Amino acid sequence: MDTGMLLIRVTIGILLVGHGAQHGLGWFGGYGADGTGAWLEGFGFRQGRRTAVLLGVSEIAVGTMFGAGLLVPLAAAGIVGITLAAAMTDHAGKGPWIWKGGYEYVLVLGVVAVSVAFAGPGAVSLDDQLGLDLSGTGWGIAAAAAGVASGFGVLATRAPGRERAGELSSVAG
């Protein structure tokens, strides 16, 4: 079980760090803060470049934390917030399947993150090494609830009437 949790955490963590580097820094074929900012403005987010930098930093931070198994419920909440906002913007109205631009992938990331918060990160984690027992039903529910709240909080920052979905996904999605 510990090896399985390590593989799940590290895989998701590395992918989120890479995604954050694409959004904020333009690495790995990403559009950086300027391109991602323009894309985010298409979904009604104000100050797109600033939002892109915050998105990139958030993805790098929660990806690093989750991969290392540090404060896993907090990292899981961050993943849920990010994936919820993605599902309701870039993936909205496209159905569930990723091959049509749907929310399948981001849903799986969010559910797996919360599942790890419920189950615990395993013995090969910083939480375990620091003696932090941050797993179980209460922590899983808290991670899910905080993630949903943060996702809707981010979505609430959009300009009214500018919630169009998917129009610019080819720019920086």
Side-chain angles (χ1 to χ4, degrees):
M1 178 150 140
D2 293 329
T3 303
M5 282 298 180
L6 176 65
L7 287 171
I8 289 168
R9 288 191 348 265
V10 168
T11 300
I12 289 175
I14 288 171
L15 291 173
L16 281 170
V17 167
H19 219 67
Q22 288 178 316
H23 285 143
L25 302 170
W27 295 0
F28 311 117
Y31 293 93
D34 291 331
T36 302
W39 173 68
L40 290 169
E41 286 175 4
F43 293 112
F45 289 100
R46 300 175 179 127
Q47 300 178 0
R49 186 178 197 293
R50 181 177 147 257
T51 303
V53 170
L54 291 173
L55 173 61
V57 167
S58 296
E59 288 173 321
I60 291 168
V62 300
T64 300
M65 291 170 60
F66 196 75
L70 177 63
L71 304 175
V72 166
L74 179 62
I79 293 168
V80 169
I82 290 165
T83 58
L84 175 63
M88 297 189 72
T89 54
D90 191 29
H91 303 282
K94 299 174 185 174
W97 309 119
I98 193 66
W99 64 274
K100 288 188 173 185
Y103 56 83
E104 169 187 14
Y105 174 67
V106 293
L107 175 64
V108 169
L109 286 179
V111 170
V112 169
V114 169
S115 297
V116 173
F118 274 100
V124 186
S125 68
L126 289 178
D127 280 358
D128 187 71
Q129 297 304 306
L130 295 170
L132 301 175
D133 184 15
L134 306 177
S135 63
T137 302
W139 287 105
I141 292 170
V148 168
S150 72
F152 279 115
V154 167
L155 291 167
T157 67
R158 295 185 294 171
R162 301 237 4 245
E163 299 89 6
R164 65 182 195 253
E167 292 179 28
L168 300 175
S169 62
S170 64
V171 173

